[in-house]
Amino acid sequence: MKWLFLVCGIVLGALAGVSAMIFLQPQDQDDQIIFAPKHFYNTEAVVVASGTLSGPDLAFPNNYYTIACYQDRKECVISNVEQVGHNQIGDLLVPLIFPVVKWSKDEVIAEDQAGLPSPIGCVKATITIERELQSVLWVQEPINQTQPGCQSSDTKVNKWTIDETPGWKRIYESPVWKRIFGNK
C-alpha cells in the first residue's frame, strides 16, 4: 500500500510540475492584447495621435497612448492604458495635461515640468508632434538633480515614439494580410 501511495505521489507531482511549466511560461507575442491600430488626425485647431509608445526602458511595452492637442486650449491631453500581465490591463488613470509651448502648421510642442513620474519635479517631458510626417517624439529628461528629493531619480534621457501597436504590426506583416491587401 505504501508503494501505491509513493507511485501516485510521484505521478501527481510530475503532472503538477508539467502543468506549472505550461501555465507559468513567460508571455509571448500571441498572448498580447491587441490594442487599436495607430491613428493620426490633423486639423488647423486639433491634432490627435494614438498608438503604442515605443522605445527602450518602458515598463510595459504593450500599451496604447492617445495624445490630443487643442490650439484654443493651448494644451495636450494624454491618456493611456497598458498591458501589465497575461490578459491583464492596468488602471486607466486620470489624463495628463501638458501645456502647448509651440503651435505651428508644421509641429506642436508640449512640455510638462510637473515632475513625471515623481511629484517633486525630477523629470521634464517634451512631446513633439510633426504634423506633416504624422510622427510623435516623447523625450523625458532629468531636471533638478541637485535637489535632495531627486538624488535617487533616473538620470537617463529617454526618447520614445508613437508607433503601430504590436498586435497590428503582426497582422500587417502576416502572409494572409499581404496576400489580400498588399503591403500597408
Side-chain angles (χ1 to χ4, degrees), residues 6 12 26 31 33 41-42 45 97 103 146 162 167 170-171:
L6 177 64
L12 287 174
D31 287 340
I33 294 168
Y41 177 76
N42 184 20
I97 298 176
W103 189 284
T146 59
I162 295 289
R170 287 193 315 276
I171 291 168

Side-chain angles (χ1 to χ4, degrees), residues 26-134:
Q27 181 176 335
D28 64 10
Q29 293 286 347
D30 293 333
D31 287 340
Q32 288 190 348
I33 294 168
I34 298 176
F35 292 110
K38 180 181 175 183
H39 295 286
F40 196 88
Y41 177 76
N42 184 20
T43 68
E44 190 175 310
V46 177
V47 177
V48 180
S50 297
T52 293
L53 190 65
S54 301
D57 300 324
L58 287 168
F60 303 107
N62 191 25
N63 60 62
Y64 196 78
Y65 277 70
T66 297
I67 302 169
C69 301
Y70 305 96
Q71 185 180 28
D72 63 337
R73 293 168 39 183
K74 295 180 178 62
E75 66 184 15
C76 292
V77 179
I78 299 108
S79 56
N80 72 295
V81 64
E82 301 164 324
Q83 180 175 356
V84 297
H86 177 71
N87 289 330
Q88 184 180 4
I89 294 177
D91 290 339
L92 183 60
L93 301 174
V94 175
L96 301 170
I97 298 176
F98 286 20
V100 170
V101 295
K102 179 181 179 187
W103 189 284
S104 71
K105 67 179 186 76
D106 298 322
E107 68 182 359
V108 175
I109 300 174
E111 289 183 349
D112 180 53
Q113 294 185 1
L116 288 173
S118 167
I120 55 175
C122 300
V123 177
K124 173 186 170 187
T126 303
I127 298 172
T128 304
I129 302 173
E130 293 289 336
R131 299 171 87 167
E132 184 71 27
L133 297 174
Q134 298 186 355

